[in-house]
Amino acid sequence: MTTPRVFIVRHGETEWSLNGRHTGTTELPLTANGEKRILATGRALVGDDRLIVPRKLAHIYVSPRRRAQKTLELLYLGCRVKLPWQEERSHPDSDIRTEASVEITEDIREWDYGDYEGITSPQIRELRKKQGIGGPNGGWDIWKEGCPGGESPEQVTHRIDRLIGEIREKYHAPVIGKPKHSDLAGDVLLVAHGHILRAFAMRWAGKTLADGPTFLLEAGGVGTLSYEHHQLDEPAILLGGGFMVDVVEKSEKLGQEEGEHEKK
């Protein structure tokens, strides 16, 4: 198994993500279909024999936006701690599956679109044509130009790099290179937004944002980042990983041992 890892999860579908409107600071709920798809994602990808193994999570970062926080709730990771925006934990002790702490951070909020908040890419190009910028077609490249009244690629890079540095120092450095079947929790989960998570993946792999857009991430989509050769200085995109069979086998063995102990 390649470990430790960072899982990046884009929030579920909203009305604006559905029709292509840029959504930075605006608070929007998930659509009913968006909620259903996140529930399906949780059932398919979260569990002892799935991609995201709750007991292997060391920390969870989530955007300040409510649509990202709702997405985290719907994944049903079974955190021991209550989520920061909740008055009390929503599940009983019997459903606890992870000891990971949960942190809201501005470092993973969506790109600030400034003047382009709430409008689509064709509308942005039309606006730029009227303003006499971006050439005859009003061309726009967020990865190189950023957003007027919002953030530049350099500003976004700064906060992403800060978060990557924290993840590697606090959660990955202590566990990387440990034995394959180590029980140490070192995986990190990020629940946020499309542009910022694509930017995060580019910076993780050592690319500048001007190199983009290299990666796509659909609403409700999940991506995996890790390291080559179990080396902290060789970050890589994990295109495919094996299931956590060793964790399941340990769980089954423990259950058998407990059953035998009860018979005595």
Side-chain angles (χ1 to χ4, degrees):
M1 181 191 68
T2 302
T3 190
R5 298 168 294 179
V6 172
F7 300 108
I8 57 174
V9 180
R10 183 180 173 187
H11 66 76
E13 175 190 274
T14 68
E15 287 296 336
W16 282 17
S17 70
L18 189 60
N19 58 33
R21 297 169 69 180
H22 288 76
T23 320
T25 57
T26 304
E27 289 285 15
L28 292 171
L30 302 185
T31 63
N33 185 57
E35 291 194 6
K36 290 178 182 178
R37 292 181 66 180
I38 293 298
L39 287 170
T41 296
R43 288 192 295 267
L45 298 183
V46 176
D48 283 345
D49 59 346
R50 309 298 166 88
L51 176 67
I52 302 173
V53 180
R55 72 181 69 183
K56 298 292 288 184
L57 290 173
H59 197 69
I60 299 167
Y61 293 98
V62 62
S63 161
R65 302 285 82 80
R66 179 60 187 152
R67 57 192 180 275
Q69 295 170 8
K70 182 64 175 180
T71 296
L72 177 57
E73 291 176 16
L74 294 173
L75 289 173
Y76 289 124
L77 293 168
C79 298
R80 180 176 296 278
V81 298
K82 73 177 183 64
L83 301 180
W85 52 90
Q86 297 178 329
E87 293 186 1
E88 59 182 25
R89 200 179 64 205
S90 60
H91 53 268
D93 287 352
S94 58
D95 288 345
I96 293 173
R97 297 193 289 174
T98 181
E99 302 292 331
S101 52
V102 180
E103 177 182 350
I104 299 172
T105 175
E106 291 284 339
D107 284 346
I108 204 64
R109 61 176 167 78
E110 181 58 295
W111 199 308
D112 186 341
Y113 296 119
D115 297 348
Y116 298 157
E117 179 79 7
I119 58 178
T120 66
S121 292
Q123 289 172 327
I124 291 171
R125 289 192 291 270
E126 187 62 30
L127 174 63
R128 289 167 65 87
K129 283 173 61 177
K130 291 179 180 178
Q131 295 172 335
I133 56 178
N137 296 318
W140 174 56
D141 187 342
I142 190 174
W143 309 105
K144 296 178 181 178
E145 302 172 70
C147 303
E151 285 184 292
S152 67
E154 292 75 23
Q155 289 172 313
V156 170
T157 296
H158 177 72
R159 59 183 171 97
I160 287 174
D161 286 357
R162 179 172 55 213
L163 183 58
I164 289 174
E166 179 175 303
I167 290 171
R168 289 178 179 162
E169 179 181 354
K170 292 180 65 174
Y171 303 109
H172 286 178
V175 301
I176 196 165
K178 296 296 190 295
K180 179 180 178 181
H181 298 297
S182 173
D183 289 327
L184 294 174
D187 290 343
V188 171
L189 176 69
L190 272 59
V191 185
H193 314 269
H195 266 123
I196 199 66
L197 290 177
R198 294 166 68 192
F200 185 96
M202 283 189 276
R203 292 302 299 150
W204 181 271
K207 294 178 173 290
T208 69
L209 298 195
D211 292 329
T214 308
F215 310 112
L216 297 176
L217 189 61
E218 295 180 340
V222 178
T224 309
L225 314 176
S226 191
Y227 303 91
E228 192 169 6
H229 306 126
H230 300 283
Q231 296 294 322
L232 202 63
D233 60 353
E234 296 186 50
I237 307 300
L238 182 57
L239 296 179
F243 293 124
M244 288 286 291
V245 178
D246 58 313
V247 175
V248 178
E249 290 175 344
K250 286 181 181 180
S251 178
E252 292 174 346
K253 182 178 180 181
L254 180 60
Q256 292 172 356
E257 291 175 348
E258 289 176 347
E260 293 172 358
H261 179 73
E262 291 174 356
K263 292 178 182 179
K264 295 180 180 179

